[in-house]
Amino acid sequence: MRQDSSDLQPSSSPGPARPLPALAPPGPSMFPWRKTIYKSVCLSLVLLVTLTVLQRGLAPGQFLQSPAPSPEPGKVQKRSVALPGPGGFWKSPREEEAPAPGPTAAEAPRSWDVMTPNCTANPNLTQEAWFQSLEPHFRQFLLYRHCRYFPILLNHPEKCVGEVYLLVVVKSIITQHDRREAIRQTWGWEREADGGRGAVRTLFLLGTASKAEERDHYQKLLAYEDRLYGDILQWDFLDSFFNLTLKEVHFLRWLDIYCPRVSFVFKGDDDVYVSPANLLEFLADRRPQEDLFVGDVLFRAKPIRKKENKYYIPGALYSKPSYPPYAGGGGFLMAGGLARRLLRVSEGLELYPIDDVFLGMCLEVLGVRPVAHEGFKTFGIVRNKSSRMNKEPCFFRSMLVVHKLLPAELLTMWELVHGNLTCSRKLQVL
């Protein structure tokens, strides 16, 4: 609403504007040039007040008042529907406020803008016969599959300040501090890539503790760990096997917001051995603009139909005879530009409970075929777990990624590979 200049009189309370007091007539000693200066000063003060009022969007009577306190972030309205099940499936039940739905990736937010969870069950499925025939954890997954993004609890956008050549991100859970510590002492330490290519940065991806009675305790420990190292991204959803796909899409969105210029991304589990030198050697002649997605690729893998298997998938959830090609989630490399395109595609697909298969589905939509590389061993050096080859450091020296090492094994293998190791022959897998 426009204001007349006469309305711009400052006041601490509403009411009719009072005229300015008349100026005393100039005395005999006030020369005309002094009158001119006096009028100019008064006019400047009026203009300054006017501009300030207009810029702040205040009513004239508010100009001299203290600003009203801002509402507490995220306090909009009470949630009306609690998540079902003991402790909830997607996150812990607690009285929180429901925000307006956050924007999609296509709107490119400049910060993480999901402040409070706003997730309720999809009631359209409950009357379907096929849905009722599923196991309880699959029913819960489907009821909340539409819930895409949750608030961020620990964030470190400063990791992407400057030129980041390789961003190393590690999937972990809140209770596995020993694995994160072993990685920080070995392959997770940050450095500069040779040749002025940029920095290598490391982050751990976490949700919240799955057991309600342990949640507050572990959260305090995690907050202390993060104060020490500053390398944890955490979102407010429960860490569970089915929620690994949530962790995937949350990271892709985080990358798009805070790290859009990263050249390459390595993503892996917290129980793998990684050779950063071999990764950087492999990337030396690669370009960030490539559709690069490389790892231990499975072709024509079939959905597992045995209910006792961890990776069991009912036919009602996926009816095709085989999956698209996908890289094992233990560790893979991708170009930064491709990661951003994966985010766009992922938002058009329904979430799938196996995270690495879900990425394979996204790659299929993009028409990108993942590349198999002998240096990525997400099932061990050989699949026979008792084989001595899986413990031989001379094999590890030539690998990029080897899966399934406990923290003590990782520390020991790192020392062996980087010590005075003499091998009878050199394995070249790069």
Side-chain angles (χ1 to χ4, degrees), residues 183-192 200-202 276 414:
I183 290 172
R184 292 184 184 107
Q185 295 179 30
T186 56
W187 56 267
W189 58 273
E190 299 182 335
R191 71 208 76 190
E192 294 292 322
V200 179
R201 297 284 181 259
T202 302
W414 185 265

Side-chain angles (χ1 to χ4, degrees), residues 61-74:
Q62 295 175 310
F63 180 66
L64 296 180
Q65 296 178 356
S66 300
S70 301
E72 189 174 341

Side-chain angles (χ1 to χ4, degrees), residues 262-302:
V262 64
S263 297
F264 299 98
V265 176
F266 171 80
K267 190 164 183 288
D269 290 344
D270 60 4
D271 60 348
V272 297
Y273 173 97
V274 178
S275 172
N278 289 348
L279 287 179
L280 293 172
E281 182 180 346
F282 172 79
L283 292 173
D285 58 350
R286 306 285 176 171
R287 294 180 296 109
Q289 297 77 22
E290 293 182 40
D291 285 339
L292 176 69
F293 197 101
V294 59
D296 192 350
V297 180
L298 285 79
F299 297 97
R300 296 178 296 278
K302 299 181 183 300

Side-chain angles (χ1 to χ4, degrees), residues 129 173 285 295 300 368 428:
I173 64 175
D285 58 350
R300 296 178 296 278
V368 175
Q428 183 66 33

Side-chain angles (χ1 to χ4, degrees), residues 293 325 338 342 358-370:
F293 197 101
L338 177 59
L342 284 171
F358 178 75
L359 278 184
M361 295 173 176
C362 295
L363 290 172
E364 184 180 44
V365 173
L366 287 174
V368 175
R369 191 172 179 85

Side-chain angles (χ1 to χ4, degrees), residues 156-164 192 199 201 254 258-259 261:
H156 290 283
E158 73 279 0
K159 284 286 187 178
C160 289
V161 173
E163 196 72 22
V164 181
E192 294 292 322
R201 297 284 181 259
W254 183 92
Y258 297 106
C259 212
R261 294 187 301 275

Side-chain angles (χ1 to χ4, degrees), residues 64-127:
L64 296 180
Q65 296 178 356
S66 300
S70 301
E72 189 174 341
K75 295 256 177 174
V76 181
Q77 61 182 17
K78 289 287 184 182
R79 293 179 61 194
S80 58
V81 181
L83 301 182
F89 181 66
W90 292 97
K91 71 169 301 298
S92 54
R94 56 178 82 153
E95 283 207 357
E96 300 205 8
E97 322 304 336
T104 62
E107 297 174 1
R110 304 179 74 177
S111 62
W112 194 269
D113 52 359
V114 183
M115 298 302 172
T116 54
N118 186 19
C119 182
T120 56
N122 178 7
N124 299 327
L125 296 173
T126 55
Q127 303 304 318

